[in-house]
Amino acid sequence: MQTRNGSCHCGNITFEFDTPVTGILECNCSICHRKGALWHAVGNEQFRIVSGEASLTTYQFGTHTAKHFFCSQCGTSTFSNPRIAPHMWVVNLRCVDDIDLAALPRQQFDGRNWEEAARQLMTNRQAQRTP
């Protein structure tokens, strides 16, 4: 499996993960829309902060469940623990090296209507796992 590498703009924060990137999750909630993040979900076992952990700053709002991490030096939003699965990570694919974002399919997540969108996403994922 290929290890993917990512970083903030100034290179202070670096991270890596070991999951195939086969699509993009694009959320239209108030923060994701404003920062232009394009997300990819990664489990704890496949995600590593390589450098700069002391320079990470966290932003939380609303339910204070999600943790949005960004570099305290350049302000780049690199990854988050999402509200829908706070025990996991989502990486901002705009911060990942050597990914052709235009070639990947996008799945829309209606974060402006979070409760219903989360219900639909979980229902769809369960249906995909059921033979």
Side-chain angles (χ1 to χ4, degrees):
M1 177 158 315
Q2 180 182 7
T3 297
R4 296 282 187 171
N5 299 292
S7 68
C8 63
H9 185 257
C10 71
N12 192 29
I13 309 297
T14 60
F15 62 93
E16 61 185 22
F17 61 93
D18 304 316
T19 58
V21 179
T22 58
I24 295 169
L25 184 68
E26 185 172 15
C27 178
N28 68 353
C29 78
S30 59
I31 191 166
C32 293
H33 176 76
R34 283 173 174 77
K35 64 184 169 185
L38 299 173
W39 300 113
H40 169 68
V42 180
N44 277 332
E45 312 79 39
Q46 293 87 26
F47 178 78
R48 293 166 300 285
I49 299 170
V50 177
S51 66
E53 191 166 0
S55 295
L56 283 171
T57 300
T58 306
Y59 177 69
Q60 291 182 278
F61 67 99
T63 65
H64 292 271
T65 304
K67 294 180 182 173
H68 301 270
F69 294 94
F70 62 96
C71 177
S72 62
Q73 302 301 305
C74 66
T76 302
S77 174
T78 49
F79 40 80
S80 297
N81 297 123
R83 179 178 168 197
I84 197 165
H87 59 285
M88 293 184 66
W89 297 90
V90 288
V91 297
N92 184 353
L93 290 176
R94 294 188 186 277
C95 298
V96 177
D97 300 335
D98 302 321
I99 289 190
D100 182 0
L101 296 174
L104 293 170
R106 291 190 188 197
Q107 178 182 358
Q108 303 299 312
F109 182 82
D110 186 8
R112 291 182 181 152
N113 300 292
W114 195 91
E115 300 295 335
E116 180 57 29
R119 235 183 327 274
Q120 286 178 354
L121 181 64
M122 297 310 285
T123 299
N124 292 343
R125 291 209 172 148
Q126 288 174 352
Q128 290 172 354
R129 292 183 190 141
T130 304

